[in-house]
Structures are given as structure tokens and as C-alpha cells.
Amino acid sequence: MGMLKDLAKKRAKPVATPAPTRAAPSIETNVVSELVAERQRSSQFEKELAKRDALIEESRATLEKLTLAQTQTVRERDEIAKAKREDQIVNAIKFAAVRHGAVDPEDIVTLTSKRFAMLGDGKIVADDEAKSDPDAFVKAYLGAKPHLAGPRVAQ
């Protein structure tokens, strides 16, 4: 029997065990891997969009703050300019009242200051027909209301 086994071994064709080979990826595997890659790209894109949106919102908030600050600054500047114009008008009236001998220059300011305006070139004029300057207006005003003027000293 030993011989039979030897003979069977010689006659038997060797069975080759297949070498492990890498099989070509199937279409399903390709689709799945592409889908996974697309989801990763989509996730990255959404993260970038979220960052961009946060930056836009931050910029918008900063712009609003700056706009409010600018509006406040312009308002303050206009108020200061208005107060300066009013002070210049009051000073011009006081100067004219003192020059023409008013008993109380503050009374003249109180009674006449609303009748004056400052032109764009800085000139102060009264709202009378002649658009007179404060000196001429106060002189005429005191002439019309002598009780506001002090006693005249002969020169």
C-alpha cells in the first residue's frame, strides 16, 4: 500500500493554492469612498462658512458701533458749533451795548439775541430789513428805548 500512495502522489496533479491577490475594487466600493470624501469636503465647507458668517456678523456689529459713534460725534460737533455761534452773537451784542451805554448789557442780550443770526462767512446780522450789524442795531434799539440806556455824558 505504500507504493500505491506513492503512485497516487505522483499521478495527482498538484493543486495550486491561489496566491492572495488584490481584487479590483467594485463599483460599490468606489461610490462609497467618493461619498465619504464628499461628506468630508461638505463638512469642511460648512465649517468655513460658519467661520465666514461669524466674521461677517462681527464686522456688522463693529460697523454699527462705529456708525453710532460717528453719529454721536457729529451731533456733538454740531451742538458745539451752534453754542459757539450763539456765544459769538451774545458777545457782539454785549460789546455793542456797552459801547452805546446800556445800563445792563445782559438785558439788551436777552431782549435782542433772538433777532440775530450768523451768516456762513461768520458775519453777524440782525433780522431787520437792513440786515444791520449788532453795533448799528443796538444803537437804534437804545435810541428807541432810552430807558435801557444810561445817562449820556456831554462830550
Side-chain angles (χ1 to χ4, degrees), residues 100-116:
H100 295 290
V103 174
D104 189 357
E106 289 293 329
D107 285 345
I108 304 300
V109 169
T110 303
L111 293 169
T112 63
S113 65
K114 300 296 180 201
R115 296 176 146 187
F116 288 90

Side-chain angles (χ1 to χ4, degrees), residues 8-24:
K9 280 186 185 178
K10 285 183 183 177
R11 286 191 181 176
K13 292 185 179 176
V15 177
T17 55
T21 60
R22 294 178 65 181

Side-chain angles (χ1 to χ4, degrees), residues 15-31:
V15 177
T17 55
T21 60
R22 294 178 65 181
S26 69
I27 292 176
E28 292 170 356
T29 306
N30 285 340
V31 169

Side-chain angles (χ1 to χ4, degrees), residues 1 4 12 23 25 36 49 67 75 84 94 99 101 113 116 118 124 136 144 148:
M1 205 157 113
L4 267 167
V36 168
L49 277 178
T67 302
R75 188 178 309 121
K84 181 181 175 185
K94 279 184 186 178
R99 177 186 290 170
S113 65
F116 288 90
M118 182 177 283
I124 299 172
L148 297 173

Side-chain angles (χ1 to χ4, degrees), residues 126-147:
D127 66 356
D128 59 357
E129 301 83 42
K131 297 291 183 198
S132 57
D133 65 346
D135 194 57
F137 184 85
V138 169
K139 182 177 180 182
Y141 190 79
L142 289 174
K145 301 189 184 285
H147 62 282

Side-chain angles (χ1 to χ4, degrees), residues 60-114:
R60 192 172 287 138
T62 302
L63 178 63
E64 286 177 18
K65 288 177 187 176
L66 291 174
T67 302
L68 287 173
Q70 178 190 21
T71 303
Q72 181 66 26
T73 302
V74 168
R75 188 178 309 121
E76 289 172 1
R77 181 201 64 199
D78 292 346
E79 288 173 3
I80 290 170
K82 181 181 177 186
K84 181 181 175 185
R85 284 190 306 272
E86 289 172 357
D87 286 347
Q88 289 174 332
I89 290 170
V90 166
N91 289 337
I93 296 169
K94 279 184 186 178
F95 183 74
V98 169
R99 177 186 290 170
H100 295 290
V103 174
D104 189 357
E106 289 293 329
D107 285 345
I108 304 300
V109 169
T110 303
L111 293 169
T112 63
S113 65
K114 300 296 180 201

